[in-house]
Amino acid sequence: MAKGDKFYFENFSACAALAKSAANYLVECLENYDADKIEEMLVQMHTFEHSADMKKHEMNETLAKAFVTPVDREDLDMLSQQLDNVADTIEEVLQKFYIYNIKEIDPAAIAFAKNLVKSCEMLVQIMDEFENFKKSKTMRSLIIACNDVEEDCDKLYLATMHNLTRNSTDVLTTISWYKIFDCLEACADACEHVSECVGSIIMKNT
């Protein structure tokens, strides 16, 4: 790789690390949930999302000026957007708790959030390995591991939705939790989309 190419891979690694921090913070918020402090939680969560946005803007500016890139600039742009979307959707989960005035936490939400941490940890490893993707012996297994976590999230989503329907006693509360778990599922999908994007880039360049 050319010396100037390091920016792209360092930027992706930083974005993945921010997503992981956001996921860890989501778990912390849910495990120690206090509805009276939700606005404070949102402020802290936004710092992760905003930092990820800044990394995406840096990528956009660099791509706009670059003459040669390590892989197609369209692929780099797509990966940058997909990574930014992970932090966006994690922030959106916490926003749902504020919007729907959630007072108590469904334990399944904590389990789901912990799975998101696992997904983001996989993304950090994938991005740290991405610079050497042509020689990497672990990249394929990391992508598969990320997809496996998403499958675990799918199973948890189905079971949780079934339980919500079966045990529903209050329509508004049930709808609120439906929306929250839909958003958690979107986070898991966002992580998988990043790993799939990396897989596609590798396929095109090896």
Side-chain angles (χ1 to χ4, degrees):
M1 292 288 179
K3 185 176 180 180
D5 291 345
K6 277 195 170 291
F7 163 81
Y8 302 100
F9 302 105
E10 290 173 353
N11 181 282
F12 291 144
S13 290
C15 287
L18 286 166
K20 179 184 173 182
S21 295
N24 277 318
Y25 185 64
L26 179 62
V27 171
E28 180 184 335
C29 290
L30 299 188
E31 287 186 325
N32 304 283
Y33 191 72
D34 183 346
D36 293 333
K37 296 182 179 179
I38 187 65
E39 292 187 27
E40 296 174 24
M41 297 177 200
L42 289 173
V43 170
Q44 177 59 40
M45 180 63 82
H46 187 66
T47 63
F48 301 120
E49 188 278 335
H50 180 70
S51 295
D53 275 348
M54 292 301 99
K55 288 296 177 183
K56 181 174 178 292
H57 293 323
E58 289 174 11
M59 178 63 70
N60 289 343
E61 292 174 2
T62 300
L63 286 174
K65 299 174 182 177
F67 181 69
V68 178
T69 55
V71 297
D72 288 347
R73 72 181 64 239
E74 292 81 4
D75 289 332
L76 294 173
D77 180 56
M78 176 62 71
L79 182 54
S80 179
Q81 291 182 43
Q82 297 284 12
L83 276 166
D84 181 60
N85 193 45
V86 176
D88 287 346
T89 52
I90 293 172
E91 181 184 35
E92 188 178 346
V93 171
L94 198 57
Q95 290 172 342
K96 297 291 186 190
F97 285 85
Y98 175 73
I99 291 170
Y100 297 118
N101 196 30
I102 299 299
K103 298 299 184 182
E104 296 182 0
I105 297 299
D106 185 327
I110 297 175
F112 214 123
K114 288 181 176 179
N115 273 347
L116 294 180
V117 171
K118 292 180 184 178
S119 290
C120 289
E121 286 173 346
M122 290 297 101
L123 294 186
V124 168
Q125 293 181 58
I126 288 170
M127 291 307 146
D128 287 346
E129 189 72 10
F130 189 33
E131 182 176 0
N132 301 309
F133 70 85
K134 290 185 179 180
K135 299 179 181 179
S136 175
K137 296 180 180 180
T138 61
M139 183 66 87
R140 177 176 169 76
S141 61
L142 289 172
I143 292 173
I144 291 172
C146 188
N147 292 346
D148 286 345
V149 177
E150 195 277 334
E151 288 186 10
D152 290 340
C153 289
D154 282 345
K155 293 174 183 176
L156 181 57
Y157 175 80
L158 286 173
T160 303
M161 287 301 197
H162 175 72
N163 290 334
L164 277 174
T165 302
R166 184 180 62 184
N167 302 320
S168 176
T169 56
D170 177 77
V171 174
L172 181 57
T173 300
T174 301
I175 291 174
S176 298
W177 278 106
Y178 266 121
K179 297 290 187 180
I180 289 169
F181 281 106
D182 275 345
C183 197
L184 284 163
E185 175 68 3
C187 289
D189 289 342
C191 292
E192 184 180 38
H193 292 160
V194 172
S195 66
E196 289 175 343
C197 185
V198 171
S200 177
I201 291 172
I202 293 172
M203 188 180 300
K204 288 172 62 177
N205 291 275
T206 53

